[in-house]
Amino acid sequence: MTGRFVEVPHGMLPAETLDALLQVFVTRQGYDTTDVASDMHDWVRELRRQLERGELLIVHDLQTESTEVMTLTQWQSFGRQLADDEEEGGW
C-alpha cells in the first residue's frame, strides 16, 4: 500500500484525543449508547483493551489529514480496496 496511510500507536496520543476518536468510532459503528453517560465510558474502556490487543488500529491519512479508528478486518478490507483502486489508477 502507498505511504499515504500511517498507523498511529495509540499510546502516543493524549488520553483526551484517544477518547474522542474512540467515541466517534462507537457512534459510527452503531453501538448501543442509550445511557450515554455510563455506556460510552464502558465502550471506550473496551475499545482501549481492543487497541492493546491489536484488534483495532488508528490510521492517519496524510492526504486528507484525517484519523480513523478501524477494526483489523476493516483495515484489511480497506487495504484491498485501495490496492484495487491503485491498479485502476484511482489514487
Side-chain angles (χ1 to χ4, degrees), residues 5-32:
F5 298 94
V6 178
E7 183 177 344
V8 179
H10 68 277
M12 293 185 68
L13 295 174
E16 301 81 25
T17 303
L18 180 58
D19 284 351
L21 282 170
L22 294 176
Q23 288 174 14
V24 168
F25 181 81
V26 166
T27 56
R28 189 180 71 221
Q29 295 298 315
Y31 287 89
D32 181 11

PDB file of all heavy atoms in Angstrom, residues 5-32:
ATOM      1  N   PHE A   5      -0.989   6.317   4.122  1.00  0.00           N
ATOM      2  CA  PHE A   5      -1.598   5.983   5.405  1.00  0.00           C
ATOM      3  C   PHE A   5      -0.541   5.580   6.418  1.00  0.00           C
ATOM      4  O   PHE A   5       0.380   4.836   6.103  1.00  0.00           O
ATOM      5  CB  PHE A   5      -2.615   4.853   5.230  1.00  0.00           C
ATOM      6  CG  PHE A   5      -3.735   5.248   4.320  1.00  0.00           C
ATOM      7  CD1 PHE A   5      -3.681   4.960   2.965  1.00  0.00           C
ATOM      8  CD2 PHE A   5      -4.833   5.938   4.808  1.00  0.00           C
ATOM      9  CE1 PHE A   5      -4.698   5.339   2.110  1.00  0.00           C
ATOM     10  CE2 PHE A   5      -5.865   6.325   3.964  1.00  0.00           C
ATOM     11  CZ  PHE A   5      -5.787   6.022   2.607  1.00  0.00           C
ATOM     12  N   VAL A   6      -0.697   6.077   7.628  1.00  0.00           N
ATOM     13  CA  VAL A   6       0.254   5.800   8.693  1.00  0.00           C
ATOM     14  C   VAL A   6      -0.514   5.272   9.906  1.00  0.00           C
ATOM     15  O   VAL A   6      -1.501   5.889  10.327  1.00  0.00           O
ATOM     16  CB  VAL A   6       1.003   7.097   9.093  1.00  0.00           C
ATOM     17  CG1 VAL A   6       1.963   6.838  10.242  1.00  0.00           C
ATOM     18  CG2 VAL A   6       1.722   7.697   7.900  1.00  0.00           C
ATOM     19  N   GLU A   7      -0.060   4.148  10.420  1.00  0.00           N
ATOM     20  CA  GLU A   7      -0.661   3.646  11.651  1.00  0.00           C
ATOM     21  C   GLU A   7      -0.115   4.464  12.823  1.00  0.00           C
ATOM     22  O   GLU A   7       1.095   4.681  12.935  1.00  0.00           O
ATOM     23  CB  GLU A   7      -0.350   2.171  11.839  1.00  0.00           C
ATOM     24  CG  GLU A   7      -1.030   1.601  13.068  1.00  0.00           C
ATOM     25  CD  GLU A   7      -0.780   0.113  13.237  1.00  0.00           C
ATOM     26  OE1 GLU A   7      -0.352  -0.561  12.281  1.00  0.00           O
ATOM     27  OE2 GLU A   7      -1.010  -0.363  14.356  1.00  0.00           O
ATOM     28  N   VAL A   8      -1.003   4.921  13.673  1.00  0.00           N
ATOM     29  CA  VAL A   8      -0.627   5.744  14.820  1.00  0.00           C
ATOM     30  C   VAL A   8      -0.708   4.876  16.075  1.00  0.00           C
ATOM     31  O   VAL A   8      -1.785   4.376  16.403  1.00  0.00           O
ATOM     32  CB  VAL A   8      -1.575   6.958  14.970  1.00  0.00           C
ATOM     33  CG1 VAL A   8      -1.204   7.789  16.182  1.00  0.00           C
ATOM     34  CG2 VAL A   8      -1.593   7.793  13.702  1.00  0.00           C
ATOM     35  N   PRO A   9       0.404   4.675  16.770  1.00  0.00           N
ATOM     36  CA  PRO A   9       0.350   3.914  18.024  1.00  0.00           C
ATOM     37  C   PRO A   9      -0.543   4.642  19.030  1.00  0.00           C
ATOM     38  O   PRO A   9      -0.363   5.834  19.280  1.00  0.00           O
ATOM     39  CB  PRO A   9       1.800   3.886  18.495  1.00  0.00           C
ATOM     40  CG  PRO A   9       2.616   4.195  17.276  1.00  0.00           C
ATOM     41  CD  PRO A   9       1.759   5.092  16.428  1.00  0.00           C
ATOM     42  N   HIS A  10      -1.523   3.923  19.576  1.00  0.00           N
ATOM     43  CA  HIS A  10      -2.489   4.576  20.470  1.00  0.00           C
ATOM     44  C   HIS A  10      -1.825   5.178  21.701  1.00  0.00           C
ATOM     45  O   HIS A  10      -2.299   6.170  22.233  1.00  0.00           O
ATOM     46  CB  HIS A  10      -3.608   3.605  20.870  1.00  0.00           C
ATOM     47  CG  HIS A  10      -3.168   2.490  21.750  1.00  0.00           C
ATOM     48  ND1 HIS A  10      -2.590   1.346  21.246  1.00  0.00           N
ATOM     49  CD2 HIS A  10      -3.211   2.351  23.080  1.00  0.00           C
ATOM     50  CE1 HIS A  10      -2.301   0.540  22.251  1.00  0.00           C
ATOM     51  NE2 HIS A  10      -2.673   1.120  23.375  1.00  0.00           N
ATOM     52  N   GLY A  11      -0.716   4.627  22.124  1.00  0.00           N
ATOM     53  CA  GLY A  11      -0.017   5.147  23.301  1.00  0.00           C
ATOM     54  C   GLY A  11       0.625   6.510  23.084  1.00  0.00           C
ATOM     55  O   GLY A  11       1.002   7.182  24.038  1.00  0.00           O
ATOM     56  N   MET A  12       0.743   6.933  21.822  1.00  0.00           N
ATOM     57  CA  MET A  12       1.352   8.227  21.529  1.00  0.00           C
ATOM     58  C   MET A  12       0.342   9.380  21.573  1.00  0.00           C
ATOM     59  O   MET A  12       0.727  10.538  21.527  1.00  0.00           O
ATOM     60  CB  MET A  12       2.017   8.196  20.149  1.00  0.00           C
ATOM     61  CG  MET A  12       3.216   7.267  20.097  1.00  0.00           C
ATOM     62  SD  MET A  12       4.068   7.351  18.516  1.00  0.00           S
ATOM     63  CE  MET A  12       4.745   9.005  18.601  1.00  0.00           C
ATOM     64  N   LEU A  13      -0.938   9.037  21.642  1.00  0.00           N
ATOM     65  CA  LEU A  13      -1.973  10.070  21.637  1.00  0.00           C
ATOM     66  C   LEU A  13      -2.315  10.512  23.053  1.00  0.00           C
ATOM     67  O   LEU A  13      -2.369   9.681  23.969  1.00  0.00           O
ATOM     68  CB  LEU A  13      -3.251   9.535  20.974  1.00  0.00           C
ATOM     69  CG  LEU A  13      -3.136   9.186  19.500  1.00  0.00           C
ATOM     70  CD1 LEU A  13      -4.419   8.535  19.018  1.00  0.00           C
ATOM     71  CD2 LEU A  13      -2.838  10.426  18.683  1.00  0.00           C
ATOM     72  N   PRO A  14      -2.589  11.799  23.246  1.00  0.00           N
ATOM     73  CA  PRO A  14      -3.087  12.247  24.550  1.00  0.00           C
ATOM     74  C   PRO A  14      -4.400  11.521  24.858  1.00  0.00           C
ATOM     75  O   PRO A  14      -5.184  11.215  23.948  1.00  0.00           O
ATOM     76  CB  PRO A  14      -3.322  13.745  24.361  1.00  0.00           C
ATOM     77  CG  PRO A  14      -2.508  14.130  23.164  1.00  0.00           C
ATOM     78  CD  PRO A  14      -2.442  12.899  22.301  1.00  0.00           C
ATOM     79  N   ALA A  15      -4.654  11.259  26.127  1.00  0.00           N
ATOM     80  CA  ALA A  15      -5.842  10.500  26.538  1.00  0.00           C
ATOM     81  C   ALA A  15      -7.133  11.115  26.002  1.00  0.00           C
ATOM     82  O   ALA A  15      -8.032  10.394  25.548  1.00  0.00           O
ATOM     83  CB  ALA A  15      -5.889  10.387  28.057  1.00  0.00           C
ATOM     84  N   GLU A  16      -7.224  12.441  26.017  1.00  0.00           N
ATOM     85  CA  GLU A  16      -8.445  13.107  25.554  1.00  0.00           C
ATOM     86  C   GLU A  16      -8.663  12.888  24.060  1.00  0.00           C
ATOM     87  O   GLU A  16      -9.784  12.689  23.598  1.00  0.00           O
ATOM     88  CB  GLU A  16      -8.399  14.620  25.843  1.00  0.00           C
ATOM     89  CG  GLU A  16      -8.232  14.976  27.305  1.00  0.00           C
ATOM     90  CD  GLU A  16      -6.778  14.886  27.788  1.00  0.00           C
ATOM     91  OE1 GLU A  16      -5.834  15.006  26.976  1.00  0.00           O
ATOM     92  OE2 GLU A  16      -6.593  14.660  29.001  1.00  0.00           O
ATOM     93  N   THR A  17      -7.590  12.924  23.300  1.00  0.00           N
ATOM     94  CA  THR A  17      -7.674  12.712  21.860  1.00  0.00           C
ATOM     95  C   THR A  17      -8.090  11.280  21.560  1.00  0.00           C
ATOM     96  O   THR A  17      -8.963  11.034  20.720  1.00  0.00           O
ATOM     97  CB  THR A  17      -6.324  13.030  21.186  1.00  0.00           C
ATOM     98  OG1 THR A  17      -5.963  14.373  21.496  1.00  0.00           O
ATOM     99  CG2 THR A  17      -6.384  12.831  19.685  1.00  0.00           C
ATOM    100  N   LEU A  18      -7.473  10.333  22.247  1.00  0.00           N
ATOM    101  CA  LEU A  18      -7.807   8.930  22.049  1.00  0.00           C
ATOM    102  C   LEU A  18      -9.268   8.684  22.408  1.00  0.00           C
ATOM    103  O   LEU A  18      -9.994   8.022  21.655  1.00  0.00           O
ATOM    104  CB  LEU A  18      -6.889   8.039  22.887  1.00  0.00           C
ATOM    105  CG  LEU A  18      -7.132   6.535  22.773  1.00  0.00           C
ATOM    106  CD1 LEU A  18      -7.008   6.062  21.330  1.00  0.00           C
ATOM    107  CD2 LEU A  18      -6.165   5.787  23.674  1.00  0.00           C
ATOM    108  N   ASP A  19      -9.717   9.212  23.538  1.00  0.00           N
ATOM    109  CA  ASP A  19     -11.120   9.039  23.929  1.00  0.00           C
ATOM    110  C   ASP A  19     -12.059   9.606  22.879  1.00  0.00           C
ATOM    111  O   ASP A  19     -13.074   9.000  22.543  1.00  0.00           O
ATOM    112  CB  ASP A  19     -11.390   9.688  25.284  1.00  0.00           C
ATOM    113  CG  ASP A  19     -10.853   8.872  26.447  1.00  0.00           C
ATOM    114  OD1 ASP A  19     -10.408   7.720  26.234  1.00  0.00           O
ATOM    115  OD2 ASP A  19     -10.874   9.390  27.584  1.00  0.00           O
ATOM    116  N   ALA A  20     -11.738  10.772  22.337  1.00  0.00           N
ATOM    117  CA  ALA A  20     -12.589  11.391  21.316  1.00  0.00           C
ATOM    118  C   ALA A  20     -12.660  10.510  20.061  1.00  0.00           C
ATOM    119  O   ALA A  20     -13.740  10.311  19.492  1.00  0.00           O
ATOM    120  CB  ALA A  20     -12.074  12.782  20.967  1.00  0.00           C
ATOM    121  N   LEU A  21     -11.527   9.979  19.625  1.00  0.00           N
ATOM    122  CA  LEU A  21     -11.515   9.088  18.465  1.00  0.00           C
ATOM    123  C   LEU A  21     -12.350   7.836  18.725  1.00  0.00           C
ATOM    124  O   LEU A  21     -13.108   7.388  17.860  1.00  0.00           O
ATOM    125  CB  LEU A  21     -10.085   8.671  18.116  1.00  0.00           C
ATOM    126  CG  LEU A  21      -9.231   9.677  17.385  1.00  0.00           C
ATOM    127  CD1 LEU A  21      -7.782   9.205  17.331  1.00  0.00           C
ATOM    128  CD2 LEU A  21      -9.766   9.917  15.982  1.00  0.00           C
ATOM    129  N   LEU A  22     -12.210   7.283  19.918  1.00  0.00           N
ATOM    130  CA  LEU A  22     -12.958   6.070  20.256  1.00  0.00           C
ATOM    131  C   LEU A  22     -14.451   6.353  20.367  1.00  0.00           C
ATOM    132  O   LEU A  22     -15.273   5.526  19.963  1.00  0.00           O
ATOM    133  CB  LEU A  22     -12.410   5.446  21.541  1.00  0.00           C
ATOM    134  CG  LEU A  22     -10.980   4.903  21.426  1.00  0.00           C
ATOM    135  CD1 LEU A  22     -10.481   4.404  22.770  1.00  0.00           C
ATOM    136  CD2 LEU A  22     -10.881   3.809  20.371  1.00  0.00           C
ATOM    137  N   GLN A  23     -14.822   7.525  20.869  1.00  0.00           N
ATOM    138  CA  GLN A  23     -16.239   7.879  20.951  1.00  0.00           C
ATOM    139  C   GLN A  23     -16.850   8.021  19.554  1.00  0.00           C
ATOM    140  O   GLN A  23     -17.980   7.580  19.316  1.00  0.00           O
ATOM    141  CB  GLN A  23     -16.414   9.166  21.757  1.00  0.00           C
ATOM    142  CG  GLN A  23     -16.178   8.956  23.234  1.00  0.00           C
ATOM    143  CD  GLN A  23     -16.197  10.244  24.027  1.00  0.00           C
ATOM    144  OE1 GLN A  23     -16.627  11.284  23.540  1.00  0.00           O
ATOM    145  NE2 GLN A  23     -15.708  10.176  25.260  1.00  0.00           N
ATOM    146  N   VAL A  24     -16.103   8.595  18.625  1.00  0.00           N
ATOM    147  CA  VAL A  24     -16.589   8.694  17.244  1.00  0.00           C
ATOM    148  C   VAL A  24     -16.763   7.293  16.666  1.00  0.00           C
ATOM    149  O   VAL A  24     -17.759   6.995  16.000  1.00  0.00           O
ATOM    150  CB  VAL A  24     -15.618   9.531  16.374  1.00  0.00           C
ATOM    151  CG1 VAL A  24     -15.949   9.400  14.895  1.00  0.00           C
ATOM    152  CG2 VAL A  24     -15.646  10.982  16.812  1.00  0.00           C
ATOM    153  N   PHE A  25     -15.820   6.410  16.936  1.00  0.00           N
ATOM    154  CA  PHE A  25     -15.908   5.030  16.462  1.00  0.00           C
ATOM    155  C   PHE A  25     -17.149   4.351  17.019  1.00  0.00           C
ATOM    156  O   PHE A  25     -17.876   3.669  16.291  1.00  0.00           O
ATOM    157  CB  PHE A  25     -14.638   4.256  16.854  1.00  0.00           C
ATOM    158  CG  PHE A  25     -14.623   2.829  16.381  1.00  0.00           C
ATOM    159  CD1 PHE A  25     -14.268   2.531  15.078  1.00  0.00           C
ATOM    160  CD2 PHE A  25     -14.943   1.794  17.233  1.00  0.00           C
ATOM    161  CE1 PHE A  25     -14.246   1.212  14.631  1.00  0.00           C
ATOM    162  CE2 PHE A  25     -14.923   0.470  16.802  1.00  0.00           C
ATOM    163  CZ  PHE A  25     -14.567   0.192  15.501  1.00  0.00           C
ATOM    164  N   VAL A  26     -17.426   4.549  18.307  1.00  0.00           N
ATOM    165  CA  VAL A  26     -18.600   3.949  18.946  1.00  0.00           C
ATOM    166  C   VAL A  26     -19.869   4.397  18.234  1.00  0.00           C
ATOM    167  O   VAL A  26     -20.717   3.578  17.876  1.00  0.00           O
ATOM    168  CB  VAL A  26     -18.666   4.303  20.452  1.00  0.00           C
ATOM    169  CG1 VAL A  26     -20.034   3.994  21.040  1.00  0.00           C
ATOM    170  CG2 VAL A  26     -17.586   3.565  21.224  1.00  0.00           C
ATOM    171  N   THR A  27     -20.012   5.680  18.020  1.00  0.00           N
ATOM    172  CA  THR A  27     -21.238   6.184  17.394  1.00  0.00           C
ATOM    173  C   THR A  27     -21.323   5.778  15.927  1.00  0.00           C
ATOM    174  O   THR A  27     -22.398   5.431  15.441  1.00  0.00           O
ATOM    175  CB  THR A  27     -21.361   7.714  17.538  1.00  0.00           C
ATOM    176  OG1 THR A  27     -20.204   8.340  16.992  1.00  0.00           O
ATOM    177  CG2 THR A  27     -21.500   8.112  18.991  1.00  0.00           C
ATOM    178  N   ARG A  28     -20.204   5.762  15.225  1.00  0.00           N
ATOM    179  CA  ARG A  28     -20.197   5.382  13.812  1.00  0.00           C
ATOM    180  C   ARG A  28     -20.551   3.905  13.629  1.00  0.00           C
ATOM    181  O   ARG A  28     -21.208   3.529  12.662  1.00  0.00           O
ATOM    182  CB  ARG A  28     -18.822   5.680  13.205  1.00  0.00           C
ATOM    183  CG  ARG A  28     -18.790   5.518  11.694  1.00  0.00           C
ATOM    184  CD  ARG A  28     -17.426   5.811  11.118  1.00  0.00           C
ATOM    185  NE  ARG A  28     -16.519   4.741  11.490  1.00  0.00           N
ATOM    186  CZ  ARG A  28     -15.258   4.916  11.879  1.00  0.00           C
ATOM    187  NH1 ARG A  28     -14.747   6.113  11.946  1.00  0.00           N
ATOM    188  NH2 ARG A  28     -14.500   3.898  12.182  1.00  0.00           N
ATOM    189  N   GLN A  29     -20.119   3.071  14.564  1.00  0.00           N
ATOM    190  CA  GLN A  29     -20.374   1.641  14.451  1.00  0.00           C
ATOM    191  C   GLN A  29     -21.764   1.250  14.943  1.00  0.00           C
ATOM    192  O   GLN A  29     -22.159   0.100  14.824  1.00  0.00           O
ATOM    193  CB  GLN A  29     -19.309   0.846  15.232  1.00  0.00           C
ATOM    194  CG  GLN A  29     -17.909   0.974  14.677  1.00  0.00           C
ATOM    195  CD  GLN A  29     -17.806   0.429  13.261  1.00  0.00           C
ATOM    196  OE1 GLN A  29     -18.302  -0.635  12.949  1.00  0.00           O
ATOM    197  NE2 GLN A  29     -17.152   1.187  12.399  1.00  0.00           N
ATOM    198  N   GLY A  30     -22.492   2.194  15.546  1.00  0.00           N
ATOM    199  CA  GLY A  30     -23.855   1.915  15.971  1.00  0.00           C
ATOM    200  C   GLY A  30     -23.967   1.160  17.285  1.00  0.00           C
ATOM    201  O   GLY A  30     -24.952   0.469  17.524  1.00  0.00           O
ATOM    202  N   TYR A  31     -22.962   1.280  18.148  1.00  0.00           N
ATOM    203  CA  TYR A  31     -23.041   0.658  19.461  1.00  0.00           C
ATOM    204  C   TYR A  31     -24.209   1.265  20.229  1.00  0.00           C
ATOM    205  O   TYR A  31     -24.564   2.429  20.029  1.00  0.00           O
ATOM    206  CB  TYR A  31     -21.753   0.898  20.259  1.00  0.00           C
ATOM    207  CG  TYR A  31     -20.567   0.105  19.785  1.00  0.00           C
ATOM    208  CD1 TYR A  31     -19.721   0.617  18.805  1.00  0.00           C
ATOM    209  CD2 TYR A  31     -20.270  -1.136  20.323  1.00  0.00           C
ATOM    210  CE1 TYR A  31     -18.614  -0.098  18.373  1.00  0.00           C
ATOM    211  CE2 TYR A  31     -19.175  -1.857  19.893  1.00  0.00           C
ATOM    212  CZ  TYR A  31     -18.347  -1.327  18.914  1.00  0.00           C
ATOM    213  OH  TYR A  31     -17.265  -2.027  18.494  1.00  0.00           O
ATOM    214  N   ASP A  32     -24.818   0.504  21.119  1.00  0.00           N
ATOM    215  CA  ASP A  32     -25.934   0.989  21.929  1.00  0.00           C
ATOM    216  C   ASP A  32     -25.400   1.920  23.009  1.00  0.00           C
ATOM    217  O   ASP A  32     -24.710   1.500  23.922  1.00  0.00           O
ATOM    218  CB  ASP A  32     -26.681  -0.180  22.567  1.00  0.00           C
ATOM    219  CG  ASP A  32     -27.870   0.286  23.390  1.00  0.00           C
ATOM    220  OD1 ASP A  32     -28.243   1.469  23.312  1.00  0.00           O
ATOM    221  OD2 ASP A  32     -28.427  -0.549  24.127  1.00  0.00           O
TER     222      ASP A  32
END
